[in-house]
Amino acid sequence: FVGDTKVGKSCILSRFVNGTFERDIPATIGAAFFTKVLTTPTGEVRLHLWDTAGQEKFRSLTPMYYRSAAVAVLVYDVTSKESLEGLEAWAAEIADKAPNNIKLVVVGNKIDLADERQVSPTAAQEFVEQLNATFYQETSAFTGEGINELFSQIADLQLDDVFLKQTEATKQPEPSSGCSC
């Protein structure tokens, strides 16, 4: 999970892992690690979740947390247009330092603050398309809206990858038309 400070990364993870919302979670220092097993219709998926710090002073540490990641979740605050714009830098860093096959997911958090909203779903969707992200989800860590759906979709991405890897591993090599030397 990456994004600017105060967008709700820790709150989303707390809501998902612990089922709770804490208004005054202290800022993440470096990163925090969570794990949770999701049961899906096609099997169990163990999610290893890294909550990275959004503050600039910890920015140099974040690449080590997504170097081997399968999915990068870019979080912004729907009440802050600047936090959406900040995702461009996060996406560029991921493109530069993460695996080539990493999937990007964009999350707009704090939808419970509808009166303060600065980013429309349409504007966010346009941004998602520019990034070529896999999907976009809106959430509220405060109410829990969209949280389980977000992680279910991420788990489905992981299952798709496992299925593809298993399928590729079980393919028979095609007969060669020449000499293998």
Side-chain angles (χ1 to χ4, degrees), residues 1-169:
F1 277 65
V2 298
D4 292 347
T5 191
K6 304 269 186 212
V7 296
K9 299 178 299 292
S10 298
C11 291
I12 289 170
L13 287 164
S14 177
R15 173 61 77 178
F16 175 63
V17 173
N18 304 319
T20 61
F21 176 80
E22 297 176 44
R23 186 170 301 282
D24 296 319
I25 291 179
T28 303
I29 297 174
F33 178 74
F34 302 90
T35 185
K36 185 161 180 170
V37 176
L38 275 184
T39 302
T40 69
T42 53
E44 285 190 342
V45 176
R46 179 177 301 274
L47 297 174
H48 296 263
L49 308 162
W50 286 101
D51 175 15
T52 64
Q55 301 99 313
E56 186 65 36
K57 64 184 173 181
F58 298 115
R59 192 86 179 241
S60 64
L61 298 174
T62 55
M64 76 175 145
Y65 298 107
Y66 49 73
R67 280 195 183 123
S68 62
V71 178
V73 181
L74 290 81
V75 182
Y76 76 96
D77 173 353
V78 300
T79 70
S80 168
K81 187 176 180 185
E82 293 80 23
S83 70
L84 177 67
E85 293 165 352
L87 292 185
E88 286 185 46
W90 289 105
E93 183 176 78
I94 289 166
D96 184 44
K97 297 182 177 152
N100 291 336
N101 60 344
I102 194 166
K103 293 181 174 85
L104 299 181
V105 172
V106 177
V107 175
N109 191 37
K110 303 186 185 182
I111 59 172
D112 54 286
L113 301 174
D115 293 345
E116 300 173 41
R117 187 172 194 133
Q118 292 183 6
V119 181
S120 71
T122 305
Q125 191 60 46
E126 288 172 9
F127 180 78
V128 167
E129 289 169 11
Q130 288 174 358
L131 286 183
N132 198 27
T134 305
F135 71 87
Y136 171 68
Q137 176 75 39
E138 291 195 341
T139 63
S140 168
F142 178 68
T143 66
E145 184 178 349
I147 300 292
N148 289 335
E149 295 84 352
L150 168 65
F151 289 96
S152 290
Q153 288 184 71
I154 291 170
D156 286 343
L157 291 175
Q158 292 302 100
L159 284 173
D160 288 346
D161 279 354
V162 168
F163 175 75
L164 289 172
K165 287 176 187 168
Q166 287 174 347
T167 302
E168 289 171 5

